[in-house]
């Protein structure tokens, strides 16, 4: 997801316990295998009629388990469950405090399918509104854990499942969903049934449908992946032109990261609250993304990057969200480097460094934040730009070749699975044969970044380079820093100094009289000048 046009910058607070800290849930020891949602919408009101068939694998003996599902409140919005059955037999349940507790004795290893009949007006999650042209629309918008506003689920990225959508809607709408469309049936000259089905498991955060009046363009296949654009009919020409960029963007990720994880890519103009929402195989972009001027290439790259990082290889728990957002941010930069060159890439890197520094003036917190309870507040500069900068510095540390080998190995290992920051570290260590504890710990666990005061003196044979870390507190960072030595004849050379202490004074041999020293000339270090 990209905060491309968000009107807010959300903040977090500190705390790091363990790279591999597992999610704390109260669902019971279960694993959802598959969801089948039957959803009926209408134009008379915002009530949805629904039935969910949920395949549950029991990983221990249980007498009950829980699902997330919003119940009604004083506004009368929320979901009302009327019946639950298993194999045709009624099952007892309790639905309160936005938890659906299902009472049924189940032994370890059992798989059961529960049918849940419910209805209601979604508070959120399924956004029912009008688009900018005044047409009624229905768009799923689940991130981070808003799926439970309209779907009974384990609303956490660690529990992935197959999903099948059976959507009945007035026939003037079209429906787009995750996976492949397997059915379209006119029911009664007024309503049409659409069925979409995934071939692989996905997390609930990217498990959505879109219902609207669409103009649809199928722009062909690349690497056997069909790509389509779904836009409002009123801006069809502009939308088709803008979204066609996706075909070249997806090639970059397939060729550099690994096979595309899904059976299609649909790029959809929508009512998402975000700049873009990376729903699996079914990306939703904010409705004003369409301009006819192709201003959103980086946004498209960001959301397509998420199909690999965040959707397929997903964070194991919310504090590791940088594995999604930091990856999408940096891989957008890498796409820019490939397509527009080194200067355009460096410009983005430097812009992000400034944003990180500015953010630290208002919120001094680590990237791995286990304290913040509001998940939306994790969408901040730490998760996006600083997460991307960590990958940038890691690339410099291990070298381009080993960086890409490690990325491909990480994705190959965790495709369609979940990973933590520790899992990423272990992959990089295995591929590069380098010990990376210090690197990962200081950049993910510690808040802030080095603030450096530097000076130098020279004679014709050497310079003495002085550097002091002046950041507040007791955090001392360990890092290499490049120095560009510029001579009086305008020739230059780059040397690297390894900094491990608060203060360092190092003598460096030079060829002749030095005119100037440029710190970090190629923008490889996240630091601030004092």
């Amino acid at each position: 997801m990209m905060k491309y046009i968000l009107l807010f910058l959300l903040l977090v607070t500190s705390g790091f316990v363990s790279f591999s800290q597992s999610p704390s849930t109260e669902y019971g020891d279960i694993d959802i295998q598959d969801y089948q949602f039957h959803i009926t919408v209408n134009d008379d009101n915002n009530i949805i009629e629904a039935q969910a068939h949920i395949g549950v694998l029991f990983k221990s003996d249980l007498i009950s388990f829980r699902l997330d599902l919003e119940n009604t409140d004083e506004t009368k919005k929320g979901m009302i469950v009327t019946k639950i059955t298993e194999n045709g037999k009624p099952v007892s349940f309790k639905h309160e405090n936005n938890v659906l507790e299902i009472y049924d004795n189940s032994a370890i290893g059992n798989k059961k399918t529960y049918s849940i009949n419910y209805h209601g007006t979604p508070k959120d999650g399924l956004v029912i509104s009008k688009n900018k042209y005044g047409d009624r629309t229905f768009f799923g918008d689940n991130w981070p854990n808003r799926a439970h506003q309209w779907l009974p689920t384990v609303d956490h990225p660690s529990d992935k499942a197959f999903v099948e959508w059976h959507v009945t809607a007035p026939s003037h709408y079209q429906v787009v969903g995750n996976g492949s469309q397997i059915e379209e049936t006119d029911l009664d000259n007024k309503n049409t049934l659409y069925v979409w089905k995934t071939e692989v498991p996905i997390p609930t955060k990217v498990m959505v449908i879109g219902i609207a009046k669409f103009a649809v363009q199928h722009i062909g296949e690349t690497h056997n992946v069909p790509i389509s654009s779904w836009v409002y009919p009123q801006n069809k020409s502009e939308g088709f032109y803008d979204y066609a960029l996706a075909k070249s963007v997806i090639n970059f990720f397939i060729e550099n990261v690994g096979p595309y994880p899904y059976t299609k890519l649909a790029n959809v103009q929508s009512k998402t609250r975000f700049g873009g929402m990376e729903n699996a195989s079914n990306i939703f972009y904010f409705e004003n993304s369409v301009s006819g001027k192709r201003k959103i290439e980086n946004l498209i790259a960001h959301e397509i990057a998420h199909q690999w990082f965040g959707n397929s290889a997903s964070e194991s728990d919310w504090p590791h969200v940088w594995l999604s957002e930091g990856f999408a941010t940096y891989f957008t930069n890498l796409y820019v480097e490939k397509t527009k060159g080194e200067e355009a890439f460096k410009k983005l890197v430097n812009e992000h460094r400034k944003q990180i520094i500015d953010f630290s003036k208002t919120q001094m917190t680590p990237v791995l934040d286990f304290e913040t309870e509001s998940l939306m507040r994790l969408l901040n500069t730490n998760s996006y730009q600083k997460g991307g900068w960590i990958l940038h510095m890691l690339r410099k540390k291990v070298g381009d070749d080993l960086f890409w080998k490690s990325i491909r190995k990480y994705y190959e290992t965790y495709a369609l699975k979940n990973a933590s920051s520790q899992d990423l570290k272990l992959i990089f260590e295995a591929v590069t044969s380098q010990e990376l504890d210090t690197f990962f710990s200081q950049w993910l666990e510690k808040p802030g970044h080095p603030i450096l005061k530097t000076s130098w003196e020279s004679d014709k044979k050497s310079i003495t380079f002085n550097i002091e870390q002046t950041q507040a507190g007791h955090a001392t960072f360990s890092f290499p820093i490049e120095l560009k030595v510029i001579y009086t004849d305008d020739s230059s050379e780059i040397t690297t100094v390894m900094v491990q202490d608060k203060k360092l004074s190092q003598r460096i041999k030079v060829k002749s009289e030095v005119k100037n020293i440029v710190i970090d000339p190629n923008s490889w270090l996240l630091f601030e000048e004092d």
Side-chain angles (χ1 to χ4, degrees), residues 177-456:
N178 310 106
S180 301
Q181 184 178 344
I182 61 175
E183 183 181 343
E184 180 179 337
T185 302
D186 289 332
L187 299 177
D188 53 12
N189 295 322
K190 293 183 179 179
N191 295 286
T192 302
L193 170 67
Y194 293 84
V195 181
W196 289 82
K197 182 179 182 180
T198 67
E199 295 76 12
V200 296
I202 61 176
T204 57
K205 65 176 182 170
V206 291
M207 194 180 282
V208 300
I209 52 173
I211 307 169
K213 295 177 182 178
F214 287 117
V216 182
Q217 183 181 53
H218 299 279
I219 62 177
E221 294 187 358
T222 182
H223 295 82
N224 298 315
V225 179
I227 301 172
S228 57
S229 303
W230 299 60
V231 301
Y232 303 154
Q234 296 92 333
N235 55 200
K236 177 178 74 170
S237 297
E238 296 88 346
F240 288 168
Y241 178 70
D242 289 340
Y243 288 1
L245 287 167
K247 190 172 183 180
S248 60
V249 172
I250 195 174
N251 286 333
F252 171 80
F253 293 98
I254 292 173
E255 292 162 6
N256 289 282
V257 177
Y260 182 69
Y262 308 116
T263 54
K264 67 103 171 41
L265 174 61
N267 296 281
V268 184
Q269 186 178 14
S270 80
K271 290 289 292 184
T272 178
R273 70 171 56 176
F274 305 106
M277 183 58 227
E278 64 269 17
N279 307 305
S281 75
N282 193 29
I283 299 171
F284 288 179
Y285 300 92
F286 73 105
E287 58 183 4
N288 286 328
S289 63
V290 171
S291 68
K293 298 178 181 179
R294 291 194 167 176
K295 295 180 177 180
I296 58 163
E297 186 173 10
N298 286 8
L299 173 60
I300 289 173
H302 183 103
E303 304 309 331
I304 289 178
H306 273 308
Q307 304 304 302
W308 284 262
F309 304 113
N311 293 2
S312 178
S314 306
E315 61 272 24
S316 58
D317 201 3
W318 299 114
H320 299 276
V321 71
W322 81 278
L323 294 174
S324 175
E325 299 302 346
F327 268 69
T329 299
Y330 191 58
F331 277 78
T332 299
N333 294 356
L334 293 171
Y335 169 77
V336 168
E337 183 180 35
K338 177 72 172 180
T339 58
K340 295 182 173 61
E342 186 177 349
E343 288 306 310
F345 168 77
K346 191 181 292 186
K347 180 181 178 183
L348 276 177
V349 166
N350 287 328
E351 286 175 357
H352 292 172
R353 176 160 59 187
K354 183 180 185 306
Q355 291 163 6
I356 295 164
I357 291 169
D358 290 345
F359 180 74
S360 71
K361 307 301 183 188
T362 60
Q363 188 84 18
M364 182 60 70
T365 52
V367 172
L368 282 179
D369 177 9
F370 291 98
E371 299 297 325
T372 295
E373 295 182 0
S374 169
L375 300 181
M376 291 294 290
R377 290 172 64 85
L378 291 175
L379 294 185
N380 59 48
T381 304
N382 274 349
S383 298
Y384 286 77
Q385 288 86 350
K386 190 171 182 180
W389 251 95
I390 290 170
L391 291 174
H392 183 57
M393 291 185 290
L394 187 56
R395 173 187 172 192
K396 175 62 173 176
K397 183 174 180 62
V398 303
D400 272 18
D401 184 56
L402 289 175
F403 175 81
W404 281 107
K405 284 182 180 178
S406 299
I407 289 295
R408 286 190 283 269
K409 183 63 175 178
Y410 169 72
Y411 180 70
E412 177 188 346
T413 303
Y414 292 103
L416 306 179
K417 300 175 185 176
N418 293 83
S420 68
S421 304
Q422 173 77 349
D423 295 323
L424 178 70
K425 180 183 81 75
L426 292 174
I427 290 289
F428 265 83
E429 287 183 330
V431 172
T432 66
S433 299
Q434 295 186 31
E435 184 277 313
L436 296 170
D437 282 345
T438 298
F439 179 90
F440 274 76
S441 177
Q442 72 179 9
W443 293 113
L444 289 172
E445 175 185 351
K446 292 179 181 179
H449 49 265
I451 301 176
L452 304 180
K453 179 184 290 185
T454 61
S455 63
W456 58 277

Side-chain angles (χ1 to χ4, degrees), residues 458-525:
S458 73
D459 55 38
K460 291 183 179 180
K461 294 183 179 180
S462 67
I463 61 170
T464 300
F465 180 71
N466 306 301
I467 186 168
E468 180 182 0
Q469 299 188 49
T470 64
Q471 61 270 13
H474 302 289
T476 300
F477 289 82
S478 174
F479 53 86
I481 186 167
E482 289 187 339
L483 310 176
K484 183 177 182 179
V485 180
I486 303 174
Y487 296 103
T488 53
D489 63 0
D490 289 330
S491 65
S492 64
E493 62 180 333
I494 291 179
T495 188
T496 300
V497 173
M498 187 65 202
V499 179
Q500 294 177 306
D501 301 309
K502 275 280 188 182
K503 293 183 178 182
L504 173 71
S505 183
Q506 184 162 325
R507 188 177 180 186
I508 302 168
K509 291 184 178 180
V510 294
K511 296 186 298 184
S512 61
E513 187 175 352
V514 175
K515 180 169 66 175
N516 195 18
I517 301 289
V518 178
I519 310 298
D520 190 35
N522 294 309
S523 302
W524 284 111
L525 178 66

